[in-house]
Structure formats: C-alpha cells, structure tokens
Amino acid sequence: MAVSKTEEFNKVDIELAEIAKALSHPARIKILKILNDLDSCMVGSIVDLLPLSQSTVSQHLKELKRVDLIKGEIEGPKICYCINPIVLEKAMNGFNKLFLQVCKC
Amino acid sequence: MAVSKTEEFNKVDIELAEIAKALSHPARIKILKILNDLDSCMVGSIVDLLPLSQSTVSQHLKELKRVDLIKGEIEGPKICYCINPIVLEKAMNGFNKLFLQVCKC
DNA sequence: TATATTCATCGTATATTTACGATGAACGAT
DNA sequence: ATCGTTCATCGTAAATATACGATGAATATA
C-alpha cells in the first residue's frame, strides 16, 4: 500500500484487526483445528493434512505465532506447536464484544 | 500469490476466513462501529470520522459489502449504509464455534 | 564424526491489498 | 438545462500476502 495509516486507529481496533488477519486464510483456520485434534503437533503432521508445501505451512504457522494464537516448543529436532488458550480466549472476547456492540439484534 | 489453493479447503473454513479478511483492517472495524453509532449513514459522515480519503473509504465499504456484513440503500444521490444483522450474527456464531471447538479451556 | 530428520528462512514470482487523486454517473435543486 | 452534491470506479504506486523449491541450522542417531 502507498503509506500505512494503521497507526492512526485505536489500539483495540488494531489488535482485533491483527487477529482477524491471522484468521483470514482457510489454511490457518484449519491449522488451529488440526492442533486441537492432533496429539502429535509436529509440523510434518500438519503438512500432511494440508494441500501445501512445508515452507508454505511454516509461513502460516509464523503468522499465527506472530499474534500469539499458537506457541511452539522445541522438542529435540522437532517443534511442538499448540494453541495458546489465553490469546484465543482474548480473541473470542474481542470478537464477541465487537459483534454485540455493533449488532442491534 | 503464485497460485491460490483456497478452493482446496472446506467451505466453512473458507467462508469464515473471508469474514475474517473483511475484519482484518482497523478502518473496517471502525466503520462497523460508526454505522452502529451514527444515525446518518452517508459515506461522507463516515469519511469525516476516518483518517482516509473518500475513495479509500469507498473501497473499505466495498470489502464489507462483498461479504454482506453491510448493505447499502440508495436514497437519492446519497447511499445509506447499514449493518446486516443476519450476516453479523452468522459471523459471530462462526467465530464462536471455531473458538469453542479449538479451545481446550 | 557422518547421516538423517525436522523445521525455519531465503530467494523468487505473482496476486492482492491499501492508498490516493481524478473522473464520471446519478440525483436533487436552482 | 445547468449546477452542486454524493458516491463508485478507474488508474496508479507501493506494500504485503501467498506459494514454491532450495538451502541451512539444529538435533538425534548410527
């Protein structure tokens, strides 16, 4: 974009938008579901369940990690990813607050 | 992107990702709040409350309209935008379902 | 120490997003 | 009929996102 105006908005809106951006690709939504379902949280197991290359999946994981929706723990040569329930709950509350605030229904 | 793989994911995830994408910019989150607060829903009134040009705001409105989060009604030379409560509720339910499904908390 | 496994990152190509000013279409008012 | 208002769209520029293969770093094992 020409020049970002993002910083001119309020912090709550910026943060919620960041979470929304992290959820704005079906691969990343599916990754959250996979992490919840799977016992093994290795990247390889996730790659096997997605129609994407390992490097692409790694980028999607990075995006989820960027907003702390997931965290990665090193286990030898592997990395165990898991959902960060604190941030997930914060995200849920943020969306609910927005929707309830904005919905006259 | 090289080639989109989006169609290889399931429909529910794709649709939720589309909603998330529409909410992935603070201007669009603020627009929803503005539409809720304001009596007048003219584009000009929205532009006045955002640090963006009229054409940029129009693009953000288009993105929200694309996923039916808002609808526009022509009133003479003006257009009255308002929130679509049906889609908003669907979005809220979609996010809640995801978060509850994925959160072991 | 050499090898295999696991994963992030680099480099790259293309698509999309974000932003603006300029223009044009539609309508009401003069 | 002309003019002002309102808004979408076009054209454009720059940033970001999405995808891949190749490479490299880190660890465990032989």
Side-chain angles (χ1 to χ4, degrees):
Chain A
M1 52 190 140
V3 162
S4 176
K5 298 273 181 103
T6 294
E7 67 283 349
E8 303 195 28
F9 294 90
N10 86 56
K11 204 184 163 192
V12 172
D13 291 350
I14 293 170
E15 281 183 9
L16 192 58
E18 284 295 313
I19 299 285
K21 193 167 72 171
L23 297 173
S24 72
H25 195 290
R28 294 195 287 267
I29 291 183
K30 188 162 184 188
I31 286 172
L32 292 181
K33 294 181 178 177
I34 290 171
L35 287 181
N36 186 66
D37 294 347
L38 236 54
D39 280 342
S40 156
C41 45
M42 272 180 44
V43 175
S45 314
I46 302 168
V47 173
D48 289 344
L49 295 172
L50 293 173
L52 299 170
S53 74
Q54 180 263 319
S55 61
T56 302
V57 171
S58 195
Q59 281 185 89
H60 284 306
L61 289 167
K62 192 179 180 181
E63 174 69 12
L64 289 170
K65 218 172 14 174
R66 190 181 62 82
V67 296
D68 279 328
L69 274 171
I70 64 173
K71 34 187 183 177
E73 205 171 313
I74 298 172
E75 282 188 0
K78 307 180 193 176
I79 295 186
C80 177
Y81 280 103
C82 59
I83 287 168
N84 184 346
I86 293 165
V87 175
L88 200 90
E89 198 181 347
K90 194 182 127 194
M92 183 166 64
N93 291 339
F95 279 115
N96 277 331
K97 188 178 171 192
L98 172 69
F99 288 136
L100 292 175
Q101 174 183 349
V102 145
C103 190
K104 280 171 171 158
C105 56
Chain B
M1 50 188 143
V3 162
S4 176
K5 298 274 180 102
T6 294
E7 67 284 348
E8 302 196 28
F9 293 91
N10 87 55
K11 204 184 161 192
V12 172
D13 291 351
I14 293 170
E15 281 182 9
L16 193 58
E18 284 295 314
I19 298 286
K21 193 168 73 171
L23 297 173
S24 72
H25 195 290
R28 294 195 287 268
I29 291 183
K30 186 160 185 189
I31 286 172
L32 292 181
K33 293 181 178 178
I34 289 171
L35 286 181
N36 186 66
D37 294 346
L38 235 55
D39 280 342
S40 155
C41 45
M42 273 180 45
V43 175
S45 315
I46 302 168
V47 172
D48 290 344
L49 296 171
L50 293 173
L52 298 170
S53 74
Q54 180 263 319
S55 62
T56 302
V57 171
S58 196
Q59 280 183 92
H60 283 306
L61 288 167
K62 192 180 179 182
E63 174 68 13
L64 288 169
K65 219 172 14 174
R66 190 180 62 82
V67 296
D68 280 329
L69 273 172
I70 64 173
K71 34 188 183 177
E73 205 170 313
I74 298 171
E75 282 190 1
K78 307 180 193 174
I79 296 187
C80 176
Y81 279 103
C82 59
I83 287 167
N84 184 346
I86 294 165
V87 175
L88 199 89
E89 198 182 346
K90 194 182 126 194
M92 184 168 64
N93 292 338
F95 280 114
N96 277 330
K97 188 178 171 191
L98 173 69
F99 288 136
L100 292 175
Q101 175 182 348
V102 145
C103 190
K104 280 171 170 156
C105 55

